[in-house]
Amino acid sequence: METDSLSRVVEDQFAPETTYLNTASCGLLPRRAVEAVKKLADELATGRRGGSGDFETVEAARAGFARLVGVDADRVATGGSVSVHVGLIAASLPAGAEVLAPEGEFTSIVSPFAVRGDLRVRYVPLEALADAVRPGTALVAFSSVQSADGRIADLDAVRKAAAAHGARTLLDATQSAGWLPLDAGAYDYVVVGGYKFLLGPRGTSFLTVTEEAQRTLPALFAAWAASDDPWNSMYGPVRRLSRSARRYDEPLSFLSYHGAEHSLALLGEVGVDAVHAHVTGLAARFREGLAGLGHEAVPGESAVVAVPGLGGRAAELARAGVVVSDRAGSLRAAFHLYNTEADADRALDVLAR
C-alpha cells in the first residue's frame, strides 16, 4: 500500500489523543472494531440477540489471522491468552523433556514449562539460542521479537538448528505479528496475543499447529467449542472433536472476537509488508534521533525500540502526552501503522529537555 493510501486508512480508522508509542503493551483499536463491539454490547443489553455472539465472527477472525501469517485456517486455534496455549503445549511434553529458551524471555512463554517441575528448562542468551540446541532438546520456545528490548531473534538459524537435532519449535509472535512478515507454517507451534500489533481487543489469541504436531498435541481443554458442530455438542462429552486445529479452541469472549474480526481485516487490507516498511522507517528515525541526543538504543531493525537505563523517563514523557513504557529499566517505544514521523520527533523533543 502506498504512503498516501496508508495515511487515508489511518485517518479514517484511528483518532489517538496522545503521541501513542506503546503498541508493545496494547494496540489502538480501529473505529470499525470499536463499532462492532458496541453493536454486540447493545444487542446483549437489550435482548435483541439469542446468544452471546456469532461463531461466524470467530471464523472470520481465524481466517483473517491465517492469511496474515501464511497458513490454512484449519491450522489455527482460537483462545483468550498466550499462556493457556503454551500451557497446552507444556502439558504434552513427557517428564524429563528439555525445553530451551532465551534468558529474560516473556513469562507467558516459559512459566507454563517451569511450573510443571518435571521438565528441564534451560536458558541461554538470545544470540546463542541456535548454537545451544542439542540432541536432547525437545522444544525451543522463544519470541520472534523480545518484549523487553525489541531484539529480533535469528529465526532462520534457530529453525535450522532445531530441525538438525529433531527439536520442535514454539514461536511467540505477539510482538511481531502484524508488522513483521511471518511464515507460521515454518514452526511447529506459533502463539500470538491479539491485543498488541494485531490491534484487537484483549481476550483474543491464536495458536497455529502443524499437521504433524497435531498428531501428538492432546485436546486437554476440549469443550463444545472444540467441535465442528458446537451447538449440538453442549451436553455430555464431545462426541467428535474437530479434525482440524479447532479442537484446541477455547470457549471465547465473543465481544473480543467481534472486534478482532475487523482489526485483522484492516491489517489484511493494508498488508504486512506495507506496515513493516512504515514502522521500521519510523523506528530508524527514532534511533538516529536518540543517538543525536547521546542515548544508545538497542541496535537492530525492530519496530520496538528500547533504550537501556532510560526507563525512568517514561513518566515524564507521559506527562507531556507521549505514551511509552518502562520495561526492565529500559524506555520502550513501539511504532505501528498509526504512527508518524511527527510522533517520533515529539518523543525526541521531550527527551531533549
Side-chain angles (χ1 to χ4, degrees):
M1 177 174 287
E2 295 181 357
T3 301
D4 289 345
S5 298
L6 179 61
S7 297
R8 285 194 295 272
V9 168
V10 170
E11 183 177 353
D12 179 63
Q13 289 297 316
F14 298 96
E17 297 179 356
T18 63
T19 300
Y20 191 81
L21 302 176
N22 201 27
T23 300
S25 295
C26 184
L28 298 182
L29 294 175
R31 285 193 177 96
R32 62 173 76 171
V34 174
E35 291 167 359
V37 173
K38 285 182 176 178
K39 180 176 183 292
L40 176 58
D42 287 342
E43 291 173 350
L44 294 175
T46 56
R48 286 181 283 133
R49 148 179 306 275
S52 55
D54 293 325
F55 277 105
E56 291 82 1
T57 292
V58 178
E59 292 310 310
R62 188 195 315 272
F65 174 77
R67 286 190 292 271
L68 282 179
V69 301
V71 298
D72 189 88
D74 283 345
R75 292 190 179 187
V76 178
T78 56
S81 71
V82 163
S83 59
V84 174
H85 294 311
V86 177
L88 173 64
I89 298 164
S92 74
L93 295 177
E98 179 182 274
V99 178
L100 178 66
E103 295 173 349
E105 181 58 83
F106 194 75
T107 187
S108 295
I109 198 74
V110 292
S111 290
F113 301 106
V115 299
R116 265 197 51 171
D118 61 351
L119 299 175
R120 293 179 293 124
V121 186
R122 185 164 58 97
Y123 303 98
V124 299
L126 178 65
E127 59 273 14
L129 190 62
D131 290 338
V133 184
R134 58 193 184 189
T137 303
L139 179 74
V140 185
F142 67 113
S143 294
S144 48
V145 173
Q146 288 291 297
S147 171
D149 56 21
R151 286 178 298 159
I152 301 176
D154 189 339
L155 301 176
D156 289 340
V158 175
R159 282 200 311 268
K160 290 176 182 177
H165 293 289
R168 283 186 169 162
T169 49
L170 164 59
L171 183 74
D172 182 354
T174 299
Q175 295 290 9
S176 67
W179 72 265
L180 184 67
L182 171 66
D183 175 13
Y187 306 88
D188 296 283
Y189 312 104
V190 173
V191 291
V192 181
Y195 65 98
K196 299 192 180 189
F197 289 91
L198 292 184
L199 307 177
R202 187 157 188 141
T204 55
S205 64
F206 301 92
L207 164 68
T208 73
V209 190
T210 63
E211 291 179 357
E212 192 278 330
Q214 287 181 35
R215 299 190 185 104
T216 56
L217 187 66
L220 293 181
F221 307 135
W224 62 301
S227 169
D228 284 329
D229 186 16
W231 294 116
N232 291 313
S233 302
M234 300 176 69
Y235 303 104
V238 176
R239 294 180 181 178
R240 182 176 298 174
L241 294 173
S242 174
R243 294 180 180 273
S244 72
R246 289 172 177 81
R247 65 180 175 274
Y248 307 118
D249 278 10
E250 304 165 36
L252 302 171
S253 165
F254 280 113
L255 281 167
S256 297
Y257 274 85
H258 273 242
E261 172 194 3
H262 297 279
S263 298
L264 290 162
L266 175 64
L267 286 170
E269 293 165 15
V270 174
V272 174
D273 289 341
V275 177
H276 178 265
H278 178 69
V279 300
T280 54
L282 293 177
R285 181 186 185 93
F286 189 54
R287 286 190 184 90
E288 182 179 354
L290 287 166
L293 296 176
H295 301 304
E296 185 176 353
V298 174
E301 298 180 352
S302 176
V304 181
V305 181
V307 190
L310 212 61
R313 298 194 66 181
E316 173 191 348
L317 285 157
R319 289 191 294 271
V322 180
V323 184
V324 294
S325 51
D326 177 359
R327 289 294 183 272
S330 294
L331 184 147
R332 186 186 68 179
F335 295 87
H336 207 356
L337 80 168
Y338 37 66
N339 292 123
T340 65
E341 291 183 350
D343 292 335
D345 294 345
R346 172 61 180 156
L348 292 169
D349 287 343
V350 178
L351 289 171
R353 293 176 183 174

